[in-house]
Amino acid sequence: MKEKILALVGFSAQRHSLKTEIVSGLTTFITMSYILALLPAMFAPLGSRGFPVDSLFTAIALATIVGTLLMAFLAKRPFGQAPGLTLNLFFIETVCISLGYPWQFALTAVLLEGLLFVLLCLSNLRQIIFEMVPTSLKHAIAVGIGFFVAMIGFKNSGILAEGTIFNHLETLASPSSILFVIGIVLTGIFAVMHLKGGLLLSIVLTTLIGIPLGVTMIPDHLFDMPTSPAPLFCQFSWDYLLTPDLWVCVLTMLFFDVFDSLGTIVGVMASSGLIRKNGRIPYMQNIMLSDALGTMAGACLGCSTVTTYVESATGVAEGGRTGLTALVIALCFVVSLFLAPLFLAIPAAATAPVMIMAGFYLFGSVSHINLSKPAETMPAFLTILLMPVTSSITDGIIAGLFTYIVFSFIDGLVNRKKKDSLDLED
């Protein structure tokens, strides 16, 4: 029975380590678990508009479980899925607050976007979009996501301030910053030692060290019964089906969902050496389909667009390569439904160093970029630069693709003229 389940998630005892996959899943879960506290807080402004915020914690956990299980069994890849932060903001700030539509309207848009994504995955258009990204940019995406993940880690630590490189010097002496530095040191030491499970161990040790520093708060209780998600279940509004604004929202969500997911998948897979020499990614259709089906399931549960999380890079950095890592992530979120206070007690200063180390591992893909060809190097550079600067994977990919097309066209013209002039000399 055990072997059959492991085979269903792509695990092979000859090629993979059970311990490594489990530790990788735990690592990714811990770095993702902040969403259980953050996402309900983001939706709090909609409480005055009748949105049942109390039910959202359970809905988010269930949507994450469903999406990640799809990734485990359908795609057999080590990615965690959950409602995306960028698309959450679009759902809340743009659709509900700026445009003034009810949250049921936004959920309907999410469902329709997921349906279109499914159709896209089942068509040849998915492959065309994927093959639009040249191999050099695929590796640049990995590096860009590495800097993006590391930037999130610095922001979560509190050291990196908005609009400045570092916060005021007094911030560096705060208990949280001290704990973050300790975490960086521990993570670096374990990496130098090539210690298996070092990222997870650094989170645990840093969390424990944070107790006497007053950063890690010991929860009053460990067990909580999850709130019923029933008030959010399938709360769609079909009255707006023919409204132009609905389809503008659907297409906007689809655009960001496709390119965010594509960027995360390509970047993390490139860093782990799972991209083939021809640039192809095994199970790519199933990976994207898992994302699309996860979005539809999340909409039914009452969540915004479900997407593949960049925090998955931490598990891949630990050695996760199969769907078993994703299965462990999903099972951890099942446990978190009942032990939420324990997981939410882990401070950001303990998980931030792991995200920075994951960024370091992703940075290794820079060696695969052909630096001798400016027509490839410049688009790669812009892709890498814009992801952390704009805090958007999509912006980095679009900028890279656009400049690659322009520079390749110019490069082709220059080379053709050189060839013509050589022919005339002959």
Side-chain angles (χ1 to χ4, degrees), residues 36-82:
L36 295 172
L38 178 60
L39 298 188
M42 290 173 66
F43 273 85
L46 298 185
S48 60
R49 298 168 182 251
F51 187 87
V53 179
D54 292 341
S55 299
L56 191 59
F57 178 96
T58 305
I60 290 166
L62 291 175
T64 302
I65 292 164
V66 172
T68 308
L69 285 176
L70 285 167
M71 190 64 73
F73 289 99
L74 182 60
K76 308 180 194 307
R77 285 293 175 251
F79 299 114
Q81 295 201 103

Side-chain angles (χ1 to χ4, degrees), residues 118-332:
V118 169
L119 296 176
L120 178 67
C121 292
L122 297 176
S123 69
N124 289 330
L125 189 56
R126 169 201 57 82
Q127 191 64 27
I128 292 171
I129 293 173
F130 175 67
E131 290 179 352
M132 281 171 54
V133 184
T135 302
S136 59
L137 280 190
K138 287 173 182 172
H139 291 294
I141 289 169
V143 181
I145 288 177
F147 284 116
F148 181 43
V149 170
M151 185 73 75
I152 294 172
F154 272 111
K155 286 182 178 179
N156 289 348
S157 72
I159 285 182
L160 193 66
E162 294 293 338
T164 61
I165 298 176
F166 285 101
N167 211 333
H168 299 293
L169 288 176
E170 57 263 27
T171 302
L172 297 175
S174 69
S176 179
S177 297
I178 292 171
L179 184 64
F180 168 71
V181 172
I182 292 171
I184 285 284
V185 172
L186 286 174
T187 306
I189 290 172
F190 294 151
V192 171
M193 293 170 61
H194 300 286
L195 182 66
K196 283 289 185 183
L199 296 181
L200 178 61
L201 181 59
S202 71
I203 292 173
V204 174
L205 291 178
T206 308
T207 299
L208 293 175
I209 294 170
I211 295 175
L213 288 176
V215 179
T216 304
M217 297 293 122
I218 300 175
D220 296 330
H221 59 287
L222 299 180
F223 182 82
D224 256 347
M225 282 298 293
T227 308
S228 172
L232 282 169
F233 187 72
C234 289
Q235 294 296 313
F236 304 119
S237 176
W238 302 109
D239 297 338
Y240 301 93
L241 193 58
L242 300 179
T243 305
D245 279 355
L246 175 68
W247 292 100
V248 170
C249 292
V250 168
L251 294 175
T252 302
M253 289 178 178
L254 178 65
F255 177 82
F256 280 99
D257 194 10
V258 168
F259 281 97
D260 264 21
S261 298
L262 181 67
T264 301
I265 292 161
V266 169
V268 177
M269 295 286 271
S271 71
S272 59
L274 292 174
I275 289 185
R276 293 171 179 167
K277 290 182 179 179
N278 59 4
R280 297 285 181 92
I281 292 179
Y283 296 103
M284 187 62 187
Q285 180 177 6
N286 288 353
I287 295 172
M288 299 292 279
L289 186 58
S290 300
D291 196 308
L293 292 173
T295 291
M296 293 186 69
C300 292
L301 289 164
C303 295
S304 61
T305 304
V306 170
T307 188
T308 305
Y309 259 56
V310 292
E311 283 79 4
S312 302
T314 59
V316 172
E318 277 283 28
R321 294 293 181 271
T322 74
L324 180 56
T325 293
L327 178 58
V328 172
I329 296 169
L331 292 176
C332 286

